[in-house]
Amino acid sequence: LLTAVWIQVGTLDTRQAIADNTATAAKNPPSLWLVVKANGVLSMSFRDLPNSKRFEGEIARVGSSIDWSLLEKRLGSLKAKFPDLKTSVVQPEAQSSYGDVIRVMDKLKQFNFEGVGISPLG
């Protein structure tokens, strides 16, 4: 089943979400982390933002899926506030919906996040 789904997707442009240990002295770029939870909730947080700004929030599910219109509003607001924010990491939980994970990645690409990665540690 997984092979059939990947064949339908065609290609998926991702980057490695976790750096190796050789670059420990290098500064990480600011990034947006999105945890796709099994219950349909999407958790958002920043990492490595300048000036120690903090942002954490959740997008509750609507019906059987993530509130996509609220995600679009939040991503638009974040890009307006932080135009240099280009890196994002999607971290699905083990029982997350595959469709939700792919759609979150699509939304990030839609809002010009150039570095969309996926973390296998969810």
Side-chain angles (χ1 to χ4, degrees):
L1 178 63
L2 185 60
T3 303
V5 172
W6 279 110
I7 290 171
Q8 289 177 350
V9 171
T11 64
L12 184 61
D13 183 24
T14 63
R15 289 186 168 71
Q16 183 176 349
I18 300 172
D20 61 24
N21 291 336
T22 59
T24 55
K27 186 177 178 186
N28 291 329
S31 58
L32 174 64
W33 283 65
L34 299 104
V35 178
V36 182
K37 298 183 179 180
N39 64 2
V41 172
L42 183 66
S43 176
M44 304 171 70
S45 63
F46 281 130
R47 293 198 185 164
D48 303 309
L49 268 182
N51 303 326
S52 300
K53 293 179 183 173
R54 302 255 330 156
F55 171 84
E56 291 183 8
E58 285 191 344
I59 296 177
R61 82 181 212 181
V62 173
S64 63
S65 189
I66 295 169
D67 186 345
W68 299 109
S69 62
L70 182 55
L71 175 60
E72 288 178 0
K73 287 178 188 175
R74 291 242 178 112
L75 290 176
S77 170
L78 291 172
K79 285 301 277 188
K81 193 172 188 177
F82 305 104
D84 293 333
L85 183 63
K86 297 184 185 326
T87 303
S88 62
V89 178
V90 178
Q91 186 175 20
E93 288 185 345
Q95 299 300 317
S96 298
S97 164
Y98 173 80
D100 285 349
V101 172
I102 297 301
R103 193 162 176 195
V104 166
M105 294 174 81
D106 283 344
K107 294 294 180 189
L108 290 165
K109 287 287 193 178
Q110 216 176 4
F111 282 87
N112 299 320
F113 280 86
E114 296 167 0
V116 177
I118 189 160
S119 172
L121 304 176

